[in-house]
Amino acid sequence: MDYEMILTERDGAVGIVTLNRPKALNALSTPLVDEVVDALRAFDADPGIGCMVLTGSERAFAAGADIKEMKDLSFADAFGGDFISSWDRIATMRKPVIAAVAGFALGGGCEVAMMCDLIIAADTAKFGQPEINLGVMPGAGGTQRLTRAVGKAKAMDLILTGRMMEAEEAERCGLVARIVPADRLLEEAKTLAATIARHSLPSLMAAKESVNRAYETTLSEGVHFERRLFHALFATHDQKEGMAAFAEKRSPEFQNR
Ligand code: CAA
């Protein structure tokens, strides 16, 4: 598949999608987001892929929704067309998706990173929800996912001031899983993705679904849901193989079934 605004690559069981609109700091236009969704879906459906990485450039993961594309929208356009609702498709992948973030991850850029399952950041990364500076507010999940990730106080601080936060602060408050030197970001993200992809796909997908359920339900319902998925995994070949391999003191050979 030929794309105009992204690059795609396979590295073993890892699928990599790179935002590639450098002149606009990877501003997230509708066609760009459509390409990202299409490429992620293709990897998600590919039985040879176990984990995906979504990344940008050294200067910017993405500097937000495309302001030039949306500046003249009327309320009727935005509401009637349900503007940016389609972005949430990024959060519907069933296999793990890692956001590898260097430079700016602002507005929609931060929101897209938060749609991924975990964020690995270069020491140059800068996160923020600066929509307030444009006379609007976050619209692709920022008020919801950021609040869940970092808590109300920090989310309010970022969203109401529009300030940027460095990688270190982002890690400290729980938005970022790990920080690495900028020149090693992609390599580290691929290594992390390959480590994840080595596991049994049904257990990875079930674990991801169960963690995400924590954001959607009560504790007792979530624990119940988790336990049922845990039970279901006993129907897989890979449960037998993983536990036999432990007992026999050897490495498991998972078959994703
Ligand atoms: N949309 C469209 N174009 C953008 C853009 C955006 N979000 N961010 C940067 N660009 C463009 C600039 O217009 C500029 O293009 P030209 O060369 O044609 O003028 C190019 O990218 C380089 O940007 P700058 O010259 O501004 O680079 P800088 O290094 O001086 O500043 C920056 C970098 C601080 C990230 C600055 O570009 C900036 O503030 N960008 C906007 C950030 C923002 O407000 N994001 C939120 C968008 S709204 C949103 O995302 C809503 C939502 O919740 C979904």
Side-chain angles (χ1 to χ4, degrees), residues 21-25 27-28 59 63-70 84 87 104 106-109 111 129-131 133-134 136-140 164:
R21 223 193 141 196
K23 287 189 186 138
L25 300 182
L28 298 159
R59 200 163 160 225
D66 189 328
I67 299 167
K68 291 165 194 168
E69 178 188 73
M70 68 181 156
I84 68 175
W87 289 30
F104 300 111
L106 301 176
E111 291 169 314
Q129 298 288 161
E131 291 89 345
N133 297 323
L134 300 170
V136 288
M137 59 176 277
M164 290 187 216

PDB file of all heavy atoms in Angstrom, residues 21-25 27-28 59 63-70 84 87 104 106-109 111 129-131 133-134 136-140 164, ligand 1:
ATOM      1  N   ARG A  21       5.248  13.998   7.797  1.00  0.00           N
ATOM      2  CA  ARG A  21       4.810  15.275   7.224  1.00  0.00           C
ATOM      3  C   ARG A  21       5.692  16.341   7.855  1.00  0.00           C
ATOM      4  O   ARG A  21       5.222  17.206   8.600  1.00  0.00           O
ATOM      5  CB  ARG A  21       3.351  15.499   7.651  1.00  0.00           C
ATOM      6  CG  ARG A  21       2.458  16.000   6.585  1.00  0.00           C
ATOM      7  CD  ARG A  21       1.130  16.479   7.170  1.00  0.00           C
ATOM      8  NE  ARG A  21       0.688  17.657   6.499  1.00  0.00           N
ATOM      9  CZ  ARG A  21      -0.247  18.477   6.959  1.00  0.00           C
ATOM     10  NH1 ARG A  21      -0.864  18.220   8.093  1.00  0.00           N
ATOM     11  NH2 ARG A  21      -0.576  19.554   6.283  1.00  0.00           N
ATOM     12  N   PRO A  22       6.992  16.254   7.598  1.00  0.00           N
ATOM     13  CA  PRO A  22       7.962  17.023   8.379  1.00  0.00           C
ATOM     14  C   PRO A  22       7.766  18.531   8.311  1.00  0.00           C
ATOM     15  O   PRO A  22       7.965  19.221   9.312  1.00  0.00           O
ATOM     16  CB  PRO A  22       9.327  16.620   7.788  1.00  0.00           C
ATOM     17  CG  PRO A  22       9.031  15.972   6.471  1.00  0.00           C
ATOM     18  CD  PRO A  22       7.642  15.429   6.560  1.00  0.00           C
ATOM     19  N   LYS A  23       7.344  19.028   7.133  1.00  0.00           N
ATOM     20  CA  LYS A  23       7.233  20.495   7.008  1.00  0.00           C
ATOM     21  C   LYS A  23       6.177  21.057   7.937  1.00  0.00           C
ATOM     22  O   LYS A  23       6.247  22.228   8.327  1.00  0.00           O
ATOM     23  CB  LYS A  23       6.927  20.881   5.558  1.00  0.00           C
ATOM     24  CG  LYS A  23       8.151  20.712   4.665  1.00  0.00           C
ATOM     25  CD  LYS A  23       7.908  21.293   3.291  1.00  0.00           C
ATOM     26  CE  LYS A  23       9.110  20.965   2.414  1.00  0.00           C
ATOM     27  NZ  LYS A  23       8.729  20.541   1.065  1.00  0.00           N
ATOM     28  N   ALA A  24       5.196  20.258   8.295  1.00  0.00           N
ATOM     29  CA  ALA A  24       4.127  20.733   9.183  1.00  0.00           C
ATOM     30  C   ALA A  24       4.261  20.110  10.570  1.00  0.00           C
ATOM     31  O   ALA A  24       3.291  20.071  11.337  1.00  0.00           O
ATOM     32  CB  ALA A  24       2.769  20.410   8.581  1.00  0.00           C
ATOM     33  N   LEU A  25       5.462  19.649  10.913  1.00  0.00           N
ATOM     34  CA  LEU A  25       5.715  19.001  12.215  1.00  0.00           C
ATOM     35  C   LEU A  25       4.698  17.895  12.489  1.00  0.00           C
ATOM     36  O   LEU A  25       4.207  17.727  13.603  1.00  0.00           O
ATOM     37  CB  LEU A  25       5.698  20.043  13.358  1.00  0.00           C
ATOM     38  CG  LEU A  25       6.728  21.174  13.262  1.00  0.00           C
ATOM     39  CD1 LEU A  25       6.634  22.092  14.486  1.00  0.00           C
ATOM     40  CD2 LEU A  25       8.137  20.636  13.132  1.00  0.00           C
ATOM     41  N   ALA A  27       1.656  17.654  11.671  1.00  0.00           N
ATOM     42  CA  ALA A  27       0.290  18.079  12.032  1.00  0.00           C
ATOM     43  C   ALA A  27      -0.695  17.049  11.481  1.00  0.00           C
ATOM     44  O   ALA A  27      -0.576  16.588  10.344  1.00  0.00           O
ATOM     45  CB  ALA A  27      -0.006  19.466  11.457  1.00  0.00           C
ATOM     46  N   LEU A  28      -1.670  16.711  12.323  1.00  0.00           N
ATOM     47  CA  LEU A  28      -2.535  15.558  12.053  1.00  0.00           C
ATOM     48  C   LEU A  28      -3.759  15.979  11.232  1.00  0.00           C
ATOM     49  O   LEU A  28      -4.814  16.276  11.786  1.00  0.00           O
ATOM     50  CB  LEU A  28      -2.947  14.920  13.379  1.00  0.00           C
ATOM     51  CG  LEU A  28      -1.749  14.377  14.184  1.00  0.00           C
ATOM     52  CD1 LEU A  28      -2.125  14.236  15.663  1.00  0.00           C
ATOM     53  CD2 LEU A  28      -1.283  13.040  13.629  1.00  0.00           C
ATOM     54  N   ARG A  59      12.168  15.937  15.429  1.00  0.00           N
ATOM     55  CA  ARG A  59      11.670  17.239  15.895  1.00  0.00           C
ATOM     56  C   ARG A  59      10.252  17.167  16.449  1.00  0.00           C
ATOM     57  O   ARG A  59       9.894  17.930  17.365  1.00  0.00           O
ATOM     58  CB  ARG A  59      11.719  18.207  14.706  1.00  0.00           C
ATOM     59  CG  ARG A  59      11.708  19.622  15.116  1.00  0.00           C
ATOM     60  CD  ARG A  59      12.143  20.576  14.040  1.00  0.00           C
ATOM     61  NE  ARG A  59      11.638  21.889  14.391  1.00  0.00           N
ATOM     62  CZ  ARG A  59      11.045  22.706  13.549  1.00  0.00           C
ATOM     63  NH1 ARG A  59      10.911  22.385  12.294  1.00  0.00           N
ATOM     64  NH2 ARG A  59      10.598  23.872  13.989  1.00  0.00           N
ATOM     65  N   ALA A  63       2.608  17.847  16.135  1.00  0.00           N
ATOM     66  CA  ALA A  63       2.330  19.126  16.796  1.00  0.00           C
ATOM     67  C   ALA A  63       0.837  19.420  16.879  1.00  0.00           C
ATOM     68  O   ALA A  63       0.434  20.572  16.999  1.00  0.00           O
ATOM     69  CB  ALA A  63       3.066  20.251  16.078  1.00  0.00           C
ATOM     70  N   GLY A  64       0.013  18.375  16.779  1.00  0.00           N
ATOM     71  CA  GLY A  64      -1.417  18.580  17.015  1.00  0.00           C
ATOM     72  C   GLY A  64      -2.254  18.392  15.774  1.00  0.00           C
ATOM     73  O   GLY A  64      -1.738  18.069  14.695  1.00  0.00           O
ATOM     74  N   ALA A  65      -3.539  18.589  15.951  1.00  0.00           N
ATOM     75  CA  ALA A  65      -4.445  18.582  14.794  1.00  0.00           C
ATOM     76  C   ALA A  65      -3.991  19.685  13.845  1.00  0.00           C
ATOM     77  O   ALA A  65      -3.359  20.663  14.264  1.00  0.00           O
ATOM     78  CB  ALA A  65      -5.871  18.837  15.265  1.00  0.00           C
ATOM     79  N   ASP A  66      -4.327  19.527  12.583  1.00  0.00           N
ATOM     80  CA  ASP A  66      -3.884  20.503  11.578  1.00  0.00           C
ATOM     81  C   ASP A  66      -4.727  21.777  11.716  1.00  0.00           C
ATOM     82  O   ASP A  66      -5.897  21.819  11.324  1.00  0.00           O
ATOM     83  CB  ASP A  66      -4.043  19.887  10.178  1.00  0.00           C
ATOM     84  CG  ASP A  66      -3.399  20.768   9.116  1.00  0.00           C
ATOM     85  OD1 ASP A  66      -3.389  22.005   9.286  1.00  0.00           O
ATOM     86  OD2 ASP A  66      -2.914  20.212   8.124  1.00  0.00           O
ATOM     87  N   ILE A  67      -4.101  22.812  12.271  1.00  0.00           N
ATOM     88  CA  ILE A  67      -4.833  24.050  12.573  1.00  0.00           C
ATOM     89  C   ILE A  67      -5.320  24.717  11.282  1.00  0.00           C
ATOM     90  O   ILE A  67      -6.418  25.269  11.222  1.00  0.00           O
ATOM     91  CB  ILE A  67      -3.942  25.015  13.392  1.00  0.00           C
ATOM     92  CG1 ILE A  67      -3.556  24.358  14.720  1.00  0.00           C
ATOM     93  CG2 ILE A  67      -4.651  26.339  13.629  1.00  0.00           C
ATOM     94  CD1 ILE A  67      -2.438  25.056  15.485  1.00  0.00           C
ATOM     95  N   LYS A  68      -4.483  24.589  10.243  1.00  0.00           N
ATOM     96  CA  LYS A  68      -4.876  25.233   8.972  1.00  0.00           C
ATOM     97  C   LYS A  68      -6.089  24.531   8.359  1.00  0.00           C
ATOM     98  O   LYS A  68      -6.920  25.171   7.722  1.00  0.00           O
ATOM     99  CB  LYS A  68      -3.689  25.243   8.012  1.00  0.00           C
ATOM    100  CG  LYS A  68      -2.591  26.195   8.516  1.00  0.00           C
ATOM    101  CD  LYS A  68      -1.259  25.981   7.828  1.00  0.00           C
ATOM    102  CE  LYS A  68      -0.152  26.700   8.596  1.00  0.00           C
ATOM    103  NZ  LYS A  68       1.192  26.336   8.166  1.00  0.00           N
ATOM    104  N   GLU A  69      -6.186  23.222   8.582  1.00  0.00           N
ATOM    105  CA  GLU A  69      -7.326  22.472   8.032  1.00  0.00           C
ATOM    106  C   GLU A  69      -8.622  22.846   8.764  1.00  0.00           C
ATOM    107  O   GLU A  69      -9.683  22.882   8.169  1.00  0.00           O
ATOM    108  CB  GLU A  69      -7.070  20.965   8.176  1.00  0.00           C
ATOM    109  CG  GLU A  69      -8.203  20.077   7.674  1.00  0.00           C
ATOM    110  CD  GLU A  69      -7.991  18.593   8.024  1.00  0.00           C
ATOM    111  OE1 GLU A  69      -8.140  18.209   9.203  1.00  0.00           O
ATOM    112  OE2 GLU A  69      -7.668  17.809   7.122  1.00  0.00           O
ATOM    113  N   MET A  70      -8.514  23.127  10.069  1.00  0.00           N
ATOM    114  CA  MET A  70      -9.762  23.285  10.839  1.00  0.00           C
ATOM    115  C   MET A  70     -10.136  24.728  11.146  1.00  0.00           C
ATOM    116  O   MET A  70     -11.231  24.983  11.656  1.00  0.00           O
ATOM    117  CB  MET A  70      -9.684  22.482  12.144  1.00  0.00           C
ATOM    118  CG  MET A  70      -8.710  22.995  13.149  1.00  0.00           C
ATOM    119  SD  MET A  70      -8.711  21.919  14.608  1.00  0.00           S
ATOM    120  CE  MET A  70      -7.084  22.265  15.238  1.00  0.00           C
ATOM    121  N   ILE A  84     -13.039  14.891  13.952  1.00  0.00           N
ATOM    122  CA  ILE A  84     -12.026  14.104  14.687  1.00  0.00           C
ATOM    123  C   ILE A  84     -12.547  12.885  15.457  1.00  0.00           C
ATOM    124  O   ILE A  84     -11.763  12.215  16.128  1.00  0.00           O
ATOM    125  CB  ILE A  84     -11.063  14.943  15.580  1.00  0.00           C
ATOM    126  CG1 ILE A  84     -11.753  15.580  16.766  1.00  0.00           C
ATOM    127  CG2 ILE A  84     -10.249  15.911  14.804  1.00  0.00           C
ATOM    128  CD1 ILE A  84     -10.747  16.294  17.688  1.00  0.00           C
ATOM    129  N   TRP A  87     -10.605   9.710  14.763  1.00  0.00           N
ATOM    130  CA  TRP A  87      -9.262   9.474  15.303  1.00  0.00           C
ATOM    131  C   TRP A  87      -9.253   8.312  16.299  1.00  0.00           C
ATOM    132  O   TRP A  87      -8.260   7.631  16.459  1.00  0.00           O
ATOM    133  CB  TRP A  87      -8.763  10.706  16.057  1.00  0.00           C
ATOM    134  CG  TRP A  87      -8.417  11.883  15.231  1.00  0.00           C
ATOM    135  CD1 TRP A  87      -8.951  12.252  14.037  1.00  0.00           C
ATOM    136  CD2 TRP A  87      -7.453  12.883  15.557  1.00  0.00           C
ATOM    137  NE1 TRP A  87      -8.381  13.416  13.603  1.00  0.00           N
ATOM    138  CE2 TRP A  87      -7.477  13.826  14.517  1.00  0.00           C
ATOM    139  CE3 TRP A  87      -6.600  13.081  16.637  1.00  0.00           C
ATOM    140  CZ2 TRP A  87      -6.647  14.953  14.522  1.00  0.00           C
ATOM    141  CZ3 TRP A  87      -5.780  14.184  16.653  1.00  0.00           C
ATOM    142  CH2 TRP A  87      -5.803  15.112  15.596  1.00  0.00           C
ATOM    143  N   PHE A 104       8.052  17.434  19.798  1.00  0.00           N
ATOM    144  CA  PHE A 104       6.725  17.874  20.229  1.00  0.00           C
ATOM    145  C   PHE A 104       5.655  16.775  20.126  1.00  0.00           C
ATOM    146  O   PHE A 104       5.546  16.117  19.103  1.00  0.00           O
ATOM    147  CB  PHE A 104       6.256  19.048  19.360  1.00  0.00           C
ATOM    148  CG  PHE A 104       7.150  20.250  19.422  1.00  0.00           C
ATOM    149  CD1 PHE A 104       7.912  20.627  18.326  1.00  0.00           C
ATOM    150  CD2 PHE A 104       7.248  21.006  20.583  1.00  0.00           C
ATOM    151  CE1 PHE A 104       8.751  21.737  18.378  1.00  0.00           C
ATOM    152  CE2 PHE A 104       8.084  22.116  20.654  1.00  0.00           C
ATOM    153  CZ  PHE A 104       8.844  22.485  19.542  1.00  0.00           C
ATOM    154  N   LEU A 106       2.046  17.516  20.953  1.00  0.00           N
ATOM    155  CA  LEU A 106       1.160  18.575  21.451  1.00  0.00           C
ATOM    156  C   LEU A 106      -0.266  18.381  20.956  1.00  0.00           C
ATOM    157  O   LEU A 106      -0.475  17.918  19.826  1.00  0.00           O
ATOM    158  CB  LEU A 106       1.662  19.938  20.964  1.00  0.00           C
ATOM    159  CG  LEU A 106       3.091  20.309  21.386  1.00  0.00           C
ATOM    160  CD1 LEU A 106       3.498  21.650  20.764  1.00  0.00           C
ATOM    161  CD2 LEU A 106       3.193  20.372  22.912  1.00  0.00           C
ATOM    162  N   GLY A 107      -1.222  18.788  21.774  1.00  0.00           N
ATOM    163  CA  GLY A 107      -2.623  18.716  21.363  1.00  0.00           C
ATOM    164  C   GLY A 107      -2.963  17.315  20.884  1.00  0.00           C
ATOM    165  O   GLY A 107      -2.752  16.312  21.582  1.00  0.00           O
ATOM    166  N   GLY A 108      -3.451  17.241  19.640  1.00  0.00           N
ATOM    167  CA  GLY A 108      -3.779  15.940  19.064  1.00  0.00           C
ATOM    168  C   GLY A 108      -2.598  14.989  19.033  1.00  0.00           C
ATOM    169  O   GLY A 108      -2.778  13.768  19.061  1.00  0.00           O
ATOM    170  N   GLY A 109      -1.379  15.510  19.008  1.00  0.00           N
ATOM    171  CA  GLY A 109      -0.186  14.652  19.030  1.00  0.00           C
ATOM    172  C   GLY A 109      -0.067  13.926  20.358  1.00  0.00           C
ATOM    173  O   GLY A 109       0.214  12.717  20.419  1.00  0.00           O
ATOM    174  N   GLU A 111      -2.591  13.470  22.319  1.00  0.00           N
ATOM    175  CA  GLU A 111      -3.794  12.612  22.406  1.00  0.00           C
ATOM    176  C   GLU A 111      -3.598  11.297  21.647  1.00  0.00           C
ATOM    177  O   GLU A 111      -3.994  10.233  22.128  1.00  0.00           O
ATOM    178  CB  GLU A 111      -5.014  13.382  21.878  1.00  0.00           C
ATOM    179  CG  GLU A 111      -5.402  14.525  22.817  1.00  0.00           C
ATOM    180  CD  GLU A 111      -6.417  15.481  22.215  1.00  0.00           C
ATOM    181  OE1 GLU A 111      -6.245  15.881  21.046  1.00  0.00           O
ATOM    182  OE2 GLU A 111      -7.383  15.838  22.902  1.00  0.00           O
ATOM    183  N   GLN A 129      -1.066  20.056  26.047  1.00  0.00           N
ATOM    184  CA  GLN A 129      -2.393  20.226  25.438  1.00  0.00           C
ATOM    185  C   GLN A 129      -2.603  21.736  25.302  1.00  0.00           C
ATOM    186  O   GLN A 129      -3.279  22.344  26.144  1.00  0.00           O
ATOM    187  CB  GLN A 129      -3.468  19.588  26.338  1.00  0.00           C
ATOM    188  CG  GLN A 129      -3.334  18.098  26.549  1.00  0.00           C
ATOM    189  CD  GLN A 129      -3.671  17.217  25.343  1.00  0.00           C
ATOM    190  OE1 GLN A 129      -3.291  16.080  25.278  1.00  0.00           O
ATOM    191  NE2 GLN A 129      -4.376  17.747  24.351  1.00  0.00           N
ATOM    192  N   PRO A 130      -2.032  22.337  24.246  1.00  0.00           N
ATOM    193  CA  PRO A 130      -2.073  23.806  24.146  1.00  0.00           C
ATOM    194  C   PRO A 130      -3.320  24.374  23.476  1.00  0.00           C
ATOM    195  O   PRO A 130      -3.336  25.552  23.113  1.00  0.00           O
ATOM    196  CB  PRO A 130      -0.825  24.085  23.281  1.00  0.00           C
ATOM    197  CG  PRO A 130      -0.692  22.887  22.410  1.00  0.00           C
ATOM    198  CD  PRO A 130      -1.245  21.721  23.184  1.00  0.00           C
ATOM    199  N   GLU A 131      -4.375  23.560  23.334  1.00  0.00           N
ATOM    200  CA  GLU A 131      -5.557  24.025  22.601  1.00  0.00           C
ATOM    201  C   GLU A 131      -6.145  25.301  23.187  1.00  0.00           C
ATOM    202  O   GLU A 131      -6.760  26.107  22.488  1.00  0.00           O
ATOM    203  CB  GLU A 131      -6.637  22.925  22.591  1.00  0.00           C
ATOM    204  CG  GLU A 131      -6.288  21.698  21.761  1.00  0.00           C
ATOM    205  CD  GLU A 131      -5.531  20.630  22.533  1.00  0.00           C
ATOM    206  OE1 GLU A 131      -5.006  20.918  23.626  1.00  0.00           O
ATOM    207  OE2 GLU A 131      -5.473  19.484  22.044  1.00  0.00           O
ATOM    208  N   ASN A 133      -4.735  27.867  24.036  1.00  0.00           N
ATOM    209  CA  ASN A 133      -4.121  29.033  23.385  1.00  0.00           C
ATOM    210  C   ASN A 133      -4.789  29.375  22.058  1.00  0.00           C
ATOM    211  O   ASN A 133      -4.562  30.443  21.507  1.00  0.00           O
ATOM    212  CB  ASN A 133      -2.625  28.773  23.110  1.00  0.00           C
ATOM    213  CG  ASN A 133      -1.840  28.561  24.399  1.00  0.00           C
ATOM    214  OD1 ASN A 133      -2.116  29.212  25.401  1.00  0.00           O
ATOM    215  ND2 ASN A 133      -0.870  27.658  24.369  1.00  0.00           N
ATOM    216  N   LEU A 134      -5.569  28.431  21.539  1.00  0.00           N
ATOM    217  CA  LEU A 134      -6.235  28.642  20.243  1.00  0.00           C
ATOM    218  C   LEU A 134      -7.707  28.984  20.432  1.00  0.00           C
ATOM    219  O   LEU A 134      -8.473  29.026  19.471  1.00  0.00           O
ATOM    220  CB  LEU A 134      -6.132  27.364  19.394  1.00  0.00           C
ATOM    221  CG  LEU A 134      -4.724  26.860  19.054  1.00  0.00           C
ATOM    222  CD1 LEU A 134      -4.800  25.469  18.435  1.00  0.00           C
ATOM    223  CD2 LEU A 134      -4.034  27.818  18.092  1.00  0.00           C
ATOM    224  N   VAL A 136      -9.803  27.095  22.004  1.00  0.00           N
ATOM    225  CA  VAL A 136     -10.626  25.879  22.095  1.00  0.00           C
ATOM    226  C   VAL A 136     -10.157  25.034  23.285  1.00  0.00           C
ATOM    227  O   VAL A 136      -9.622  25.575  24.267  1.00  0.00           O
ATOM    228  CB  VAL A 136     -10.617  25.056  20.766  1.00  0.00           C
ATOM    229  CG1 VAL A 136     -11.423  25.768  19.689  1.00  0.00           C
ATOM    230  CG2 VAL A 136      -9.195  24.755  20.305  1.00  0.00           C
ATOM    231  N   MET A 137     -10.343  23.755  23.208  1.00  0.00           N
ATOM    232  CA  MET A 137      -9.928  22.828  24.266  1.00  0.00           C
ATOM    233  C   MET A 137      -9.583  21.495  23.599  1.00  0.00           C
ATOM    234  O   MET A 137      -9.874  21.322  22.417  1.00  0.00           O
ATOM    235  CB  MET A 137     -11.060  22.641  25.290  1.00  0.00           C
ATOM    236  CG  MET A 137     -12.328  22.104  24.668  1.00  0.00           C
ATOM    237  SD  MET A 137     -13.650  21.774  25.859  1.00  0.00           S
ATOM    238  CE  MET A 137     -13.181  20.145  26.432  1.00  0.00           C
ATOM    239  N   PRO A 138      -8.963  20.569  24.318  1.00  0.00           N
ATOM    240  CA  PRO A 138      -8.654  19.287  23.695  1.00  0.00           C
ATOM    241  C   PRO A 138      -9.933  18.628  23.177  1.00  0.00           C
ATOM    242  O   PRO A 138     -10.992  18.750  23.796  1.00  0.00           O
ATOM    243  CB  PRO A 138      -8.055  18.463  24.837  1.00  0.00           C
ATOM    244  CG  PRO A 138      -7.519  19.483  25.791  1.00  0.00           C
ATOM    245  CD  PRO A 138      -8.481  20.638  25.713  1.00  0.00           C
ATOM    246  N   GLY A 139      -9.804  17.924  22.029  1.00  0.00           N
ATOM    247  CA  GLY A 139     -11.013  17.339  21.438  1.00  0.00           C
ATOM    248  C   GLY A 139     -10.852  15.889  21.017  1.00  0.00           C
ATOM    249  O   GLY A 139     -11.789  15.305  20.491  1.00  0.00           O
ATOM    250  N   ALA A 140      -9.670  15.327  21.232  1.00  0.00           N
ATOM    251  CA  ALA A 140      -9.471  13.930  20.825  1.00  0.00           C
ATOM    252  C   ALA A 140      -9.066  13.080  22.029  1.00  0.00           C
ATOM    253  O   ALA A 140      -8.190  12.225  21.946  1.00  0.00           O
ATOM    254  CB  ALA A 140      -8.438  13.833  19.712  1.00  0.00           C
ATOM    255  N   MET A 164       3.952  23.403  28.084  1.00  0.00           N
ATOM    256  CA  MET A 164       4.552  22.124  27.690  1.00  0.00           C
ATOM    257  C   MET A 164       5.255  21.497  28.885  1.00  0.00           C
ATOM    258  O   MET A 164       5.754  22.199  29.755  1.00  0.00           O
ATOM    259  CB  MET A 164       5.599  22.351  26.596  1.00  0.00           C
ATOM    260  CG  MET A 164       5.015  22.748  25.273  1.00  0.00           C
ATOM    261  SD  MET A 164       6.304  22.782  24.027  1.00  0.00           S
ATOM    262  CE  MET A 164       5.763  24.165  23.032  1.00  0.00           C
TER     263      MET A 164
HETATM  264  N1  CAA B   1      -1.193  22.566  12.457  1.00  0.00           N
HETATM  265  C1  CAA B   1      -0.778  23.019  11.248  1.00  0.00           C
HETATM  266  N2  CAA B   1       0.486  23.408  11.007  1.00  0.00           N
HETATM  267  C2  CAA B   1       1.357  23.329  12.030  1.00  0.00           C
HETATM  268  C3  CAA B   1       0.990  22.864  13.321  1.00  0.00           C
HETATM  269  C4  CAA B   1      -0.348  22.471  13.490  1.00  0.00           C
HETATM  270  N3  CAA B   1      -0.784  21.967  14.665  1.00  0.00           N
HETATM  271  N4  CAA B   1       2.076  22.917  14.126  1.00  0.00           N
HETATM  272  C5  CAA B   1       3.088  23.387  13.371  1.00  0.00           C
HETATM  273  N5  CAA B   1       2.666  23.646  12.109  1.00  0.00           N
HETATM  274  C6  CAA B   1       3.435  24.158  10.989  1.00  0.00           C
HETATM  275  C7  CAA B   1       3.697  25.643  11.148  1.00  0.00           C
HETATM  276  O1  CAA B   1       2.574  26.395  10.700  1.00  0.00           O
HETATM  277  C8  CAA B   1       4.915  25.810  10.278  1.00  0.00           C
HETATM  278  O2  CAA B   1       4.497  25.825   8.941  1.00  0.00           O
HETATM  279  P1  CAA B   1       5.079  26.942   7.913  1.00  0.00           P
HETATM  280  O3  CAA B   1       6.551  26.667   7.849  1.00  0.00           O
HETATM  281  O4  CAA B   1       4.345  26.683   6.648  1.00  0.00           O
HETATM  282  O5  CAA B   1       4.791  28.271   8.533  1.00  0.00           O
HETATM  283  C9  CAA B   1       5.681  24.523  10.495  1.00  0.00           C
HETATM  284  O6  CAA B   1       4.733  23.585  10.989  1.00  0.00           O
HETATM  285  C10 CAA B   1       6.795  24.662  11.538  1.00  0.00           C
HETATM  286  O7  CAA B   1       6.218  25.187  12.724  1.00  0.00           O
HETATM  287  P2  CAA B   1       6.818  26.492  13.482  1.00  0.00           P
HETATM  288  O8  CAA B   1       7.450  27.407  12.487  1.00  0.00           O
HETATM  289  O9  CAA B   1       5.704  27.054  14.312  1.00  0.00           O
HETATM  290  O10 CAA B   1       7.938  25.789  14.369  1.00  0.00           O
HETATM  291  P3  CAA B   1       8.491  26.303  15.777  1.00  0.00           P
HETATM  292  O11 CAA B   1       9.650  25.409  16.069  1.00  0.00           O
HETATM  293  O12 CAA B   1       8.669  27.760  15.790  1.00  0.00           O
HETATM  294  O13 CAA B   1       7.309  25.984  16.825  1.00  0.00           O
HETATM  295  C11 CAA B   1       5.594  24.607  17.819  1.00  0.00           C
HETATM  296  C12 CAA B   1       6.940  24.652  17.067  1.00  0.00           C
HETATM  297  C13 CAA B   1       5.770  25.204  19.220  1.00  0.00           C
HETATM  298  C14 CAA B   1       5.171  23.147  17.915  1.00  0.00           C
HETATM  299  C15 CAA B   1       4.545  25.425  17.049  1.00  0.00           C
HETATM  300  O14 CAA B   1       4.547  24.993  15.702  1.00  0.00           O
HETATM  301  C16 CAA B   1       3.145  25.281  17.573  1.00  0.00           C
HETATM  302  O15 CAA B   1       2.817  25.893  18.561  1.00  0.00           O
HETATM  303  N6  CAA B   1       2.308  24.505  16.885  1.00  0.00           N
HETATM  304  C17 CAA B   1       0.915  24.330  17.233  1.00  0.00           C
HETATM  305  C18 CAA B   1       0.737  23.465  18.473  1.00  0.00           C
HETATM  306  C19 CAA B   1      -0.729  23.382  18.835  1.00  0.00           C
HETATM  307  O16 CAA B   1      -1.371  24.344  19.139  1.00  0.00           O
HETATM  308  N7  CAA B   1      -1.283  22.153  18.788  1.00  0.00           N
HETATM  309  C20 CAA B   1      -2.651  21.906  19.109  1.00  0.00           C
HETATM  310  C21 CAA B   1      -3.469  21.906  17.848  1.00  0.00           C
HETATM  311  S1  CAA B   1      -5.213  21.841  18.143  1.00  0.00           S
HETATM  312  C22 CAA B   1      -5.544  20.198  18.472  1.00  0.00           C
HETATM  313  O17 CAA B   1      -4.691  19.359  18.419  1.00  0.00           O
HETATM  314  C23 CAA B   1      -6.988  19.909  18.773  1.00  0.00           C
HETATM  315  C24 CAA B   1      -7.241  18.529  19.287  1.00  0.00           C
HETATM  316  O18 CAA B   1      -7.361  18.302  20.478  1.00  0.00           O
HETATM  317  C25 CAA B   1      -7.413  17.394  18.356  1.00  0.00           C
END
